[in-house]
Amino acid sequence: MKATALAHPNIALVKYWGKRDDALILPHQSSLSLTLAPLSVTTTVEFGAGSEQVEINGHHAKGSERERVLRVLEAVRAETGGKLGPARMVSRGDFPAAAGLASSAAGFAALAVAARAAAGLPEDPKAASLLSRLGSGSACRSVQGGFCEWLRGERPDGTDSYAVQRFDAGHWPELRMVVAILNRDEKEVKSRDGMKHTVETSPYYAAWVKDAEAEVPRAVELIQRKDLQALGELAERNAWRMHSTALAANPPLCYLHANTLELIEHLREQRKKGMPVWFTLDAGPNPVLLTDAAHEVVAEALALACGAADVVRCVPGGDAVLKSEHLF
Ligand code: DP6
C-alpha cells in the first residue's frame, strides 16, 4: 500500500501550448521533450491513511495544487475499483531554489508511478503517462527518460493522449542543456492560464498548432541523426513561434524580459563565431541553452556573462523509477 518513485523534469524542444479539453488536459498538438538529469522529484504515496494528506516540499498543499494531486489519486482509486482508502502523499524536489524549470512535470510523473505501485498496479509507462497527464500535461513526458513524444491523440476521452519514448537517454549522451537563471521571480501568468488565454484570443493560434504538429517528426529525425545544429535551429524557431502566438493574444502575453533578448542576441553572435549553442524558452524569461559536452562550460560562462544569477547544467535523464526508501 506504500510506494516511492523518483522522476526527472523535462524541457520541450517542440512545445505544448494549448488544450482542446481543459478538464482532461488534452493538447491541440503533439510535443517533444528531453528528460533532464540530475534534477529530480521523489514522491511517496500510501493508501489507507485516516484522511487525504498532501505534502509538497515540507508544506501542506492547498488550493489547485492539492486538487490536482487528489485528482490523480482519485483516478488510481477508480482504476482499482474504489476500494483504496484516503492517501498520504509526501513529495520532495531537489531543484535549486527557483531553478527556472517547473518541478510540476517531475512531481506528477513521480506521483503517478508511486500511486500506481502503492495501489498494487503493475509497472506500465503508458498507464502512468496517461495518469500523470491529469495532474499536468507536460508531466506525461517525464515518465520515461531520453526523448519523449506526447501524442496528441484523437479520442475525446483522452485514452490515446500520452507520451512515448522515441530515444532513451543513452542515445545522445553528449547533449547538454544549461538553464540560465536570469530572473527568479514567480511568473505573472502561469502556463495553464497563459495557454488558455492564447487559445481563446490569439489569431495566430491555428497556425501554431499546424506548424508544431509538423515539427515533431522533423525533430525526431534530427535526434535520430544527432544533428545538433538542425535540432538547435528547430528548437529556437519553435520557441519563437510559441511566444509569437502568445504575444498576439489579446491582451498580449509577453514572457520575455529585456535580458532574455540580450542573451539570445549574444548567442547569435557566438554562433557566428562557430560556437554550437542554441536556446529554447518556456513560459518564462529564463532561456535553456542547448549545446554539447565540449561546449557546456563555455555556454555556462556565456550565460553568467549575460547577467545570469545562476546556471543549472543538465544531461539527458532516465526513466521514472521506483525506490525502496520511502519519505515517511
Ligand atoms: C511552456 O504542462 O505546466 O512548458 O498542462 O496546464 O499543467 P498544464 O501546463 P504545463 O505547461 C507546459 C508549457 C510549456 C511547454 C512544454 O513543456 O511543452
Side-chain angles (χ1 to χ4, degrees):
M1 287 286 118
K2 190 194 246 192
T4 298
L6 175 149
H8 299 291
N10 68 76
I11 182 86
L13 299 169
V14 179
K15 312 280 183 201
Y16 140 58
W17 194 247
K19 298 175 181 68
R20 65 180 198 275
D21 185 317
D22 290 330
L24 289 174
I25 311 198
L26 301 179
H28 271 291
Q29 27 84 219
S30 305
S31 54
L32 183 95
S33 61
L34 173 65
T35 303
L36 300 179
L39 306 177
S40 68
V41 173
T42 302
T43 300
T44 298
V45 175
E46 183 171 34
F47 286 101
S51 61
E52 304 271 27
Q53 294 168 52
V54 179
E55 190 189 309
I56 300 174
N57 292 330
H59 300 286
H60 287 287
K62 293 192 201 80
S64 69
E65 197 179 31
R66 179 179 158 90
E67 291 308 315
R68 287 158 77 175
V69 171
L70 296 186
R71 187 165 182 220
V72 171
L73 294 170
E74 195 46 48
V76 175
R77 270 190 215 101
E79 198 174 335
T80 50
K83 289 188 286 285
L84 301 164
R88 178 172 181 205
M89 186 219 87
V90 174
S91 182
R92 218 169 281 155
D94 65 1
F95 283 43
L101 285 168
S103 59
S104 60
F108 281 107
L111 169 63
V113 172
R116 282 182 54 83
L121 294 165
E123 277 193 63
D124 178 343
K126 176 179 166 184
S129 182
L130 285 163
L131 181 63
S132 63
R133 196 201 70 222
L134 297 175
S136 180
S138 54
C140 77
R141 301 183 312 232
S142 268
V143 169
Q144 288 183 285
F147 297 87
C148 293
E149 177 180 345
W150 177 7
L151 308 166
R152 173 198 190 274
E154 297 295 334
R155 293 187 207 133
D157 66 359
T159 49
D160 57 352
S161 189
Y162 57 95
V164 291
Q165 185 185 60
R166 290 290 173 221
F167 306 95
D168 66 20
H171 169 70
W172 197 348
E174 313 80 33
L175 195 64
R176 292 291 181 273
M177 290 281 193
V178 179
V179 189
I181 318 292
L182 295 173
N183 193 305
R184 281 209 165 96
D185 301 341
E186 180 119 353
K187 60 190 170 206
E188 265 171 54
V189 183
K190 292 200 158 57
S191 297
R192 184 160 293 193
D193 304 324
M195 64 174 82
K196 189 169 167 58
H197 178 63
T198 307
V199 174
E200 287 168 356
T201 67
S202 177
Y204 298 171
Y205 190 70
W208 154 259
V209 170
K210 192 162 171 263
D211 178 73
E213 193 67 48
E215 292 284 48
V216 171
R218 286 185 202 124
V220 169
E221 200 205 312
L222 299 174
I223 295 163
Q224 163 80 52
R225 295 206 314 252
K226 300 188 205 169
D227 187 336
L228 181 59
Q229 171 162 353
L231 184 66
E233 287 170 2
L234 187 153
E236 282 202 359
R237 71 175 179 255
N238 179 263
W240 278 125
R241 287 170 188 174
M242 183 196 102
H243 286 272
S244 303
T245 184
L247 279 164
N250 187 20
L253 199 51
C254 182
Y255 287 105
L256 296 109
H257 288 195
N259 54 3
T260 311
L261 288 169
E262 264 169 47
L263 177 51
I264 289 171
E265 191 49 42
H266 209 68
L267 293 184
R268 220 195 318 246
E269 280 160 25
Q270 292 302 312
R271 272 204 304 269
K272 278 191 208 147
K273 294 180 194 158
M275 161 111 180
V277 61
W278 291 266
F279 77 91
T280 182
L281 188 67
D282 277 348
N286 300 322
V288 178
L289 311 187
L290 182 65
T291 188
D292 59 19
H295 297 87
E296 181 183 27
V297 175
V298 191
E300 178 179 324
L302 210 132
L304 292 170
C306 284
D310 209 348
V311 289
V312 185
R313 286 198 222 166
C314 300
V315 298
D319 296 349
V321 285
L322 287 169
K323 308 290 268 185
S324 50
E325 268 179 36
H326 304 300
L327 294 180
F328 61 88

